[in-house]
Each structure stands twice: as structure tokens, then as C-alpha cells.
Amino acid sequence: MERREVTSKRARTRKPKTSVPHPQGLDLIVAPHDPLLVYQVRADQTIEPSSLFTLADIKPANVLRLNGRWVLADWGIVRRPLGQTNDPQRTRVGVFLGSVGFAAPEHYSDAHLAGPTADIYSLGQLIGWAVTGEMPLVNVPLLPKSGPWRAIVREATQRDPERRPATVSAFLDFVAQELDEPAEPVALRGEHLQRELFAGATGAGLDLLTLATTYCDDAPLYFDVLIKVPVASIMADLLADAARAVEVVSAMATLFGTDVSHSSEELGATVKWLASVAEEAARARELDLLEACCGGAFEWIPLLDDQSGQAEGFSWWTALSGDAASSVAAMLRQHPECVTYFGHLAHDLRVDHRIRAAIAQQ
């Protein structure tokens, strides 16, 4: 077998892993850009480590390409799960079992102690061989001189089996951690769109709102980015899709309810932002958005240090009439705990009678 059959350069874009069924109930997993072959228990099964077969002889000569699939050959010394050994004399204390350099240290002393983590060790040595082109020495990790594979080989070839990844799934997670580029935090993507919006980039506001609806549970995106966008800069995008705008506003209110770590300043800024959006929604006769904004703001005004100051942000109620005034009155009736902060409007004749009645009745 030529070495190029089991090694390949890492592609710039990570490709999906392909799964190959194995007759022993395992799946062989190979990532096209990775210089290794690894296996894992099928995702649809839950198997305890003690019930796994230990291959015991993972080495380059036993990794084959068959009909376009990666397979492991030579299962002659596979160790069955405890209690299922069919030849108790095969594995004996002091008798080495495996391939020199690729076998885990426990194979040299007592192969009975070799469990699934022994195969993790062999995989690590196989990776070292594929990256360096050298053959490993007995009980000496074959570490690449540099690069992410160095840490991967080191992790897999710990002398103490307890310090290696306990399962192949854990090993694959570590490989992914070392090889994959970390995803950009959602809030940082939001900040980038925020800067584009401020610079006048077409579509930046819509993209920011789409991001907010996609990641409706990302508090930093909402409270470190979105509420710092002036309403005037994004209102046209909010009104362009009122249903999406309602999603954003509702998510903002929900996030405040699940995260009590927000400061009074953050809470005040959010209520002010919601009040501003509500005012524009009333002018545009977008009643669902108006009600969502008022409902969210009314929920949190009682928690503010300066409730009266926030209530003054709703002075635009004096210009409301018709359906918009009815919607505000309905939201006040649903949040009786906050109406006392609007007491200064209860007798203001410029305010629609329905809003005044909702305030006075509490």
C-alpha cells in the first residue's frame, strides 16, 4: 500500500466525513483532508466502553482502500469485550500483543489491560507516521515537529490510558477543536454589520435583523449591538418586514426575562429603544409591532431605578388615536404593575380617552 492512499493534504474547506459500515458493528470514519483513519460507534447506538472490541493492531499496513472505502484489515488479534474471550490463552501477562511502535504501552506488559483507549494510542501513532513519514519507536509518541497534529498526537499517546480521550467521540471532538477554524461569535458578526449600516451599506440593516431572528437567544447580539443602533437608522428595515420585526422585539423581551445579569443602564437603554420603535410603528399603523414593543417595555419599566424618566419616553401618546390608542390601552391593561408610572398622563386631555381609562382603572 502506498502512503499516499492514507494521507492527504488538508483542504481549505472542511469536507463532511464519510461513514463506512464495518462488520463488527463499528463505523469507519474518514475525513477526506485528514491524514488518518478513525472509527467510532454508530451514532444510533449507545455502547459502554467495556462492551467495545479493541482492534489492538492499528498500523499503516492494516489500513486499506477497498472499493473506494477505507477499511481496517487483519482482525486476528481483536480483543473481545470482557467475558467474551474465545481463547483465554491468547492474551497472557508479559506476552506482547500488537505491532511494535504502534501498540499502546499496556500491550507490552499485560494486554488484558488494553481497552478502547489502546486503539486511541495506535491512532495517534498512525497520525504521527502519516504526518512525519517516520516509523514510531516503542512507547515513544511520534510527535510532528509543529502544527495542529502535534497536539492531537500528544493527546492520543499519553502513556497513562486514563489521560487519553476516553472514547473515539471525545477524540474526534479534540481533533475538530484543533483543526477547525472557530466560528466567528454572532455578536462580532453583528458589530461588523452595525459598522456597515453606519457607513451606509445597502442591505446591512436587513442582514442585521436577519441575524437577530436567526440567533434570537444571543444576548450580546441584542444588548451590545442591536439596541445601540439608532432607531432612525434601522426603522425602514424593521417596517419592511413587520413580522420579522415582531420576532426581534419579542426575542429581546424574552432575553431580559431569562438573563438577570443586565445592569439598570442596559435595561433603560432597551426600554428606550423599544419605546422609539413603538412610536414609529404607531405612525406606520403596524399594530402588531406597536403592541410587541409596548408589551416588552411595560414588562421591565417597574425594574428600573428611574421609572418616571422612562415613562416620559412615551409622551408621544398624546398624538395617538384610533386603533393605535386602543392597542396601547390593551397593553396597559395587560401590565397593571407599570401603569402607576404613567400617572402624569391620566388627566392629560390630549391623551386618548382609552389610554387614560386604562391608567385610571388600575
Side-chain angles (χ1 to χ4, degrees):
M1 180 184 66
E2 297 183 11
R3 178 170 173 264
R4 64 173 180 272
E5 290 185 68
V6 294
T7 61
S8 61
K9 293 184 178 179
R10 185 182 179 200
R12 289 184 178 273
T13 303
R14 187 172 180 84
K15 299 179 181 178
K17 293 181 176 67
T18 56
S19 177
V20 181
H22 194 278
Q24 293 293 335
L26 302 176
D27 276 352
L28 301 181
I29 306 296
V30 59
H33 67 274
D34 294 343
L36 82 158
L37 170 71
V38 296
Y39 66 92
Q40 66 176 13
V41 178
R42 285 198 299 264
D44 61 347
Q45 296 181 355
T46 301
I47 300 180
E48 296 298 325
S50 60
S51 68
L52 293 177
F53 285 77
T54 301
L55 306 188
D57 201 19
I58 298 176
K59 60 183 178 179
N62 287 343
V63 179
L64 306 178
R65 189 75 167 170
L66 178 65
N67 297 330
R69 303 182 304 173
W70 292 108
V71 297
L72 287 175
D74 190 359
W75 286 62
I77 59 171
V78 166
R79 179 180 181 275
R80 294 174 177 270
L82 294 175
Q84 299 183 24
T85 302
N86 58 357
D87 183 0
Q89 297 302 313
R90 174 176 292 178
T91 306
R92 289 173 288 175
V93 176
V95 177
F96 171 69
L97 198 64
S99 293
V100 174
F102 291 95
E106 51 268 32
H107 279 293
Y108 292 86
S109 55
D110 185 356
H112 278 292
L113 300 177
T117 57
D119 285 340
I120 298 292
Y121 182 98
S122 298
L123 286 172
Q125 294 293 69
L126 180 66
I127 295 169
W129 165 85
V131 174
T132 67
E134 301 174 3
M135 295 298 289
L137 301 176
V138 174
N139 296 344
V140 179
L142 184 51
L143 299 178
K145 294 185 182 300
S146 61
W149 292 110
R150 180 180 175 87
I152 293 168
V153 173
R154 180 189 291 112
E155 189 76 5
T157 57
Q158 296 286 333
R159 187 174 184 85
D160 182 353
E162 297 296 325
R163 298 184 61 185
R164 301 171 201 151
T167 65
V168 174
S169 178
F171 181 52
L172 289 174
D173 288 342
F174 186 79
V175 171
Q177 173 186 306
E178 292 298 314
L179 295 182
D180 294 347
E181 293 295 330
E184 181 182 23
V186 175
L188 291 183
R189 291 164 59 186
E191 289 179 356
H192 176 69
L193 291 171
Q194 182 192 67
R195 289 192 294 271
E196 288 190 346
L197 176 63
F198 292 162
T202 302
L206 289 174
D207 290 343
L208 179 57
L209 293 176
T210 299
L211 188 68
T213 54
T214 302
Y215 298 96
C216 57
D217 59 349
D218 194 283
L221 173 63
Y222 276 81
F223 303 120
D224 295 339
V225 179
L226 189 57
I227 66 169
K228 294 181 180 179
V229 175
V231 170
S233 300
I234 203 169
M235 196 63 214
D237 296 317
L238 285 167
L239 294 176
D241 188 341
R244 178 179 57 192
V246 170
E247 284 188 55
V248 171
V249 168
S250 300
M252 188 175 293
T254 301
L255 281 172
F256 259 117
T258 56
D259 187 349
V260 297
S261 65
H262 299 293
S263 66
S264 181
E265 291 77 15
E266 289 176 319
L267 185 53
T270 303
V271 170
K272 183 177 180 180
W273 195 85
L274 290 172
S276 298
V277 173
E279 180 179 5
E280 297 302 322
R283 289 175 180 171
R285 300 179 184 274
E286 291 289 351
L287 300 183
D288 289 340
L289 181 56
L290 169 62
E291 292 172 4
C293 289
C294 288
F298 296 169
E299 189 79 23
W300 307 116
I301 283 180
L303 302 180
L304 292 171
D305 295 333
D306 182 17
Q307 296 94 340
S308 60
Q310 289 296 333
E312 291 174 0
F314 292 87
S315 58
W316 47 272
W317 287 355
T318 57
L320 292 185
S321 61
D323 291 340
S326 181
S327 290
V328 170
M331 291 299 100
L332 285 169
R333 288 192 294 271
Q334 290 184 21
H335 297 83
E337 68 282 356
C338 81
V339 296
T340 56
Y341 306 114
F342 298 103
H344 63 291
L345 298 175
H347 304 289
D348 189 333
L349 297 180
R350 296 172 300 170
V351 176
D352 186 276
H353 67 282
R354 286 162 292 190
I355 296 178
R356 286 188 283 120
I359 297 173
Q361 288 176 7
Q362 305 305 321

